[in-house]
Amino acid sequence: MIYLKEANLKDSEKEYLFTKDMPVDENGLTNPWHDISREDFENIALKKMISYKEGKDLPEGHVPETFLFLWDEDEIVGQFRVRHYLTDALRLGAGHIGYFIKKEFRNKGYGKIGLKLTLEKAKEIIPEDEVYLRVNKDNIPSLKVMLSCGGKICREDENKYYVRIKR
């Protein structure tokens, strides 16, 4: 069974193993906790992931954000993040949702399933009528995932497509 679960203390060991191995920056999704120690993950990173949902301890210019892990049975295969609302910078940039699928699970449908589940969760969180996403032009598999979930390219620049999904 494939499902989403919010970052939480109960699953911290598996969340730690997944997060520390995520790249620092891949296709625009950043991970400030790459290669973090187990202790720092639990005492710093995980606490931040959980508090960001409540809008607490946010870095300057950031908005509340919910961290979701995509699970297949008892293994984490991806991470999805939902920003609760947009600033002007987010509206023109990263948008509401960012995601990462672990390399060995790519091209197996997890991105599409995870984005569909995240869009359902986003209905509880996001006040706007459409969800904003951004994707690097060289990341065609991710663009296909967004389009297959109802996305439409609304604009592009030299390096990125900006996708909107009506709710």
Side-chain angles (χ1 to χ4, degrees):
M1 182 170 91
I2 301 170
Y3 57 97
L4 283 176
K5 200 184 232 187
E6 289 185 23
N8 67 85
L9 294 171
K10 180 179 166 257
D11 297 312
S12 65
E13 181 61 29
K14 289 186 178 185
E15 293 167 344
Y16 161 68
L17 293 171
F18 183 87
T19 302
K20 79 172 186 65
D21 289 340
M22 282 177 62
V24 171
D25 185 346
E26 184 173 274
N27 293 316
L29 185 73
T30 59
N31 176 23
W33 305 302
H34 171 77
D35 216 15
I36 193 170
S37 72
R38 175 75 172 94
E39 182 179 349
D40 284 349
F41 178 79
E42 206 158 288
N43 294 323
I44 299 169
L46 186 55
K47 285 183 179 180
K48 286 184 179 186
M49 286 181 191
I50 293 169
S51 70
Y52 285 1
K53 176 185 175 185
E54 304 301 323
K56 298 176 185 170
D57 306 318
L58 293 170
E60 189 171 332
H62 286 224
V63 302
E65 180 174 31
T66 299
F67 284 76
L68 303 160
F69 289 94
L70 182 66
W71 293 75
D72 188 348
E73 300 298 335
D74 66 346
E75 184 169 9
I76 297 175
V77 299
Q79 184 189 86
F80 288 73
R81 300 178 194 166
V82 180
R83 292 173 199 92
H84 296 199
Y85 58 86
L86 299 177
T87 61
D88 289 340
L90 288 171
R91 189 170 282 106
L92 296 173
H96 289 104
I97 297 174
Y99 60 92
F100 171 83
I101 303 296
K102 200 171 181 180
K103 282 193 191 292
E104 60 263 33
F105 296 106
R106 293 179 186 169
N107 300 311
K108 296 181 179 182
Y110 288 108
K112 183 176 180 178
I113 293 167
L115 184 55
K116 282 184 176 186
L117 292 170
T118 302
L119 289 166
E120 282 300 310
K121 178 72 174 170
K123 288 179 183 178
E124 305 166 15
I125 300 171
I126 296 173
E128 286 90 357
D129 291 335
E130 55 184 10
V131 175
Y132 288 53
L133 299 102
R134 174 184 74 185
V135 62
N136 291 348
K137 284 189 170 181
D138 63 356
N139 190 356
I140 298 304
S142 190
L143 176 63
K144 287 181 179 179
V145 164
M146 293 174 190
L147 297 176
S148 73
C149 290
K152 305 283 184 223
I153 298 170
C154 68
R155 70 182 179 91
E156 62 183 277
D157 60 27
E158 185 178 321
N159 300 310
K160 299 183 185 320
Y161 293 112
Y162 299 85
V163 176
R164 306 295 179 254
I165 300 175
K166 294 249 186 237
R167 301 192 309 127

